[in-house]
């Protein structure tokens, strides 16, 4: 709970931030009823800043237009086709041109939301300009600026964890963390930019499980092929031995001649 003095200060900071935002909106849009809301919200999710500033710009609703039909119901009959019924319905209200250039929400009476990762008391005009796209006067929020901010925040966190000095240990620690984050970002993109549970590694995906099963099947298949190859080699060796026996055996009769004693006397 805020005390009375804290509430007064919070309202003053809110009014100051709203004035920063209104200075980026054309006067004609403000005259038509564009309103700006700023509030300080707390975030308890992992990785969030404790207090941040949420900004909502609500654009006025365009005047409603109804398509006029000069013919009476008797002239067109008692039943109307689907196309005719659609024509009799109210058209989608919209301003001829967006109240904020290139911002469709300002043409159809929608709202634009952004946030600043700081409490209201710390928000500056520069922070407001960084949070608004170039459609607003002086806005600087682009895809490149958001990427640079995310990069700088990651580098700052690495330095705080591993140290920003030039010692060999600090440099090696930053390199190890950077390599790990590189692998994590590749996995993050491969999984459709869905982050794992806070503080937990990525859960095995169905594709990785299937890949492990395929690898296991390939390994078993290779072992089976090797066993068959060894069996064929053994059969071939036995066939070679049999062919050698057959060669020496021949097809006819074998006669052994034994020398006679008379032959020795001769």
């Amino acid at each position: 709970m805020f005390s009375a003095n804290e509430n007064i200060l919070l309202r003053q900071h809110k009014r100051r931030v709203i004035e920063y935002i209104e200075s980026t909106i054309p006067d004609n849009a403000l005259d038509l009823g564009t309103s700006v809301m700023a509030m300080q919200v707390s975030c308890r999710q992992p990785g969030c800043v404790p207090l941040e500033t949420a900004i909502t710009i609500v654009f006025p609703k365009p005047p409603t237009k109804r398509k006029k039909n000069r013919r009476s119901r008797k002239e067109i009959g008692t039943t109307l086709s689907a196309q005719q019924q659609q024509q009799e319905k109210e058209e989608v209200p919209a301003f001829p041109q967006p109240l904020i250039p290139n911002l469709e929400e300002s043409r159809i009476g929608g709202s634009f939301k952004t946030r600043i990762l700081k409490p209201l008391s710390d928000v500056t005009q520069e922070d407001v300009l960084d949070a608004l796209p170039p459609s607003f006067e002086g806005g600087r929020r682009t895809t490149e600026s958001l990427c640079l901010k995310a990069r700088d925040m990651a580098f700052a966190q690495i330095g705080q964890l591993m140290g920003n000095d030039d010692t060999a240990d600090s440099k090696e620690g930053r390199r190890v963390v950077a390599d790990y984050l590189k692998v994590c970002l590749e996995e993050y993109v491969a999984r459709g930019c869905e982050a794992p549970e806070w503080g937990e590694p990525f859960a095995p995906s169905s594709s990785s499980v299937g890949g492990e099963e395929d690898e296991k099947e390939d390994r078993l298949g290779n072992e089976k092929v090797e066993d068959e190859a060894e069996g064929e080699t053994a059969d071939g060796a036995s066939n070679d031995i049999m062919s050698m026996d057959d060669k020496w055996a021949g097809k006819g009769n074998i006669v052994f001649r034994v020398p006679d004693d008379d032959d020795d006397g001769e």
Side-chain angles (χ1 to χ4, degrees), residues 66 69 73 76 80 84-90:
R66 182 180 294 274
N69 193 342
R73 181 61 59 87
I76 62 176
L80 297 176
Q84 290 172 333
Q85 292 178 7
Q86 185 66 26
Q87 290 177 351
E88 284 196 346
K89 292 182 179 179
E90 295 180 356

Side-chain angles (χ1 to χ4, degrees), residues 205-219:
S205 61
S206 57
S207 59
S208 62
V209 174
E212 292 177 358
E213 293 179 353
D214 294 340
E215 183 179 356
K216 183 178 180 180
E217 292 179 358
D218 294 340
R219 185 170 62 253

Side-chain angles (χ1 to χ4, degrees), residues 180 184 187 191 194-205:
Y180 178 79
C184 290
E187 184 74 11
R191 292 172 180 262
E194 293 184 0
E197 295 293 333
W198 180 262
E200 297 293 335
F202 283 99
S205 61

Side-chain angles (χ1 to χ4, degrees), residues 225-243:
V225 171
E226 292 176 358
D227 293 340
E228 292 177 352
E230 292 177 358
E232 292 178 356
T233 303
D235 294 340
S238 61
N239 292 334
D240 293 341
I241 295 173
M242 294 297 295
S243 62

Side-chain angles (χ1 to χ4, degrees), residues 56-127:
T56 303
I57 303 173
V58 182
F59 296 100
K61 294 292 184 182
T64 302
K65 295 181 180 180
R66 182 180 294 274
K67 192 175 183 65
K68 296 182 179 180
N69 193 342
R70 297 181 180 179
R71 294 183 300 172
S72 64
R73 181 61 59 87
K74 293 181 180 180
E75 292 176 344
I76 62 176
T78 56
T79 59
L80 297 176
S81 64
Q83 182 178 3
Q84 290 172 333
Q85 292 178 7
Q86 185 66 26
Q87 290 177 351
E88 284 196 346
K89 292 182 179 179
E90 295 180 356
E91 294 182 346
V92 177
F95 290 106
Q97 297 294 332
L99 301 180
I100 304 294
N102 302 320
L103 192 66
E104 182 65 14
E105 293 89 339
S106 66
R107 190 180 74 87
I108 61 176
S111 60
F112 174 82
K113 297 180 180 180
T114 186
R115 61 179 182 171
I116 301 173
L117 303 181
K118 291 182 178 181
L120 272 170
S121 59
D122 296 341
V123 175
T124 64
Q125 189 170 13
E126 296 297 317
D127 295 328

Side-chain angles (χ1 to χ4, degrees), residues 14-89:
K14 183 183 298 186
R15 183 66 254 173
R16 176 176 54 82
V17 172
I18 290 176
E19 289 177 355
Y20 291 156
I21 301 170
E22 289 178 344
S23 65
T24 66
I25 301 174
D27 292 338
N28 65 323
L30 294 173
D31 294 339
L32 289 173
T34 301
S35 60
V36 179
M37 295 183 293
M39 63 181 64
Q40 181 174 276
V41 296
S42 61
C43 180
R44 297 182 179 179
Q45 295 181 356
C48 287
V49 295
L51 293 174
E52 62 183 36
T53 300
I55 298 172
T56 303
I57 303 173
V58 182
F59 296 100
K61 294 292 184 182
T64 302
K65 295 181 180 180
R66 182 180 294 274
K67 192 175 183 65
K68 296 182 179 180
N69 193 342
R70 297 181 180 179
R71 294 183 300 172
S72 64
R73 181 61 59 87
K74 293 181 180 180
E75 292 176 344
I76 62 176
T78 56
T79 59
L80 297 176
S81 64
Q83 182 178 3
Q84 290 172 333
Q85 292 178 7
Q86 185 66 26
Q87 290 177 351
E88 284 196 346
K89 292 182 179 179

Side-chain angles (χ1 to χ4, degrees), residues 125-140:
Q125 189 170 13
E126 296 297 317
D127 295 328
V128 170
L129 296 179
D130 289 338
L132 296 175
S135 300
F136 295 86
E137 185 177 352
R140 299 192 290 250

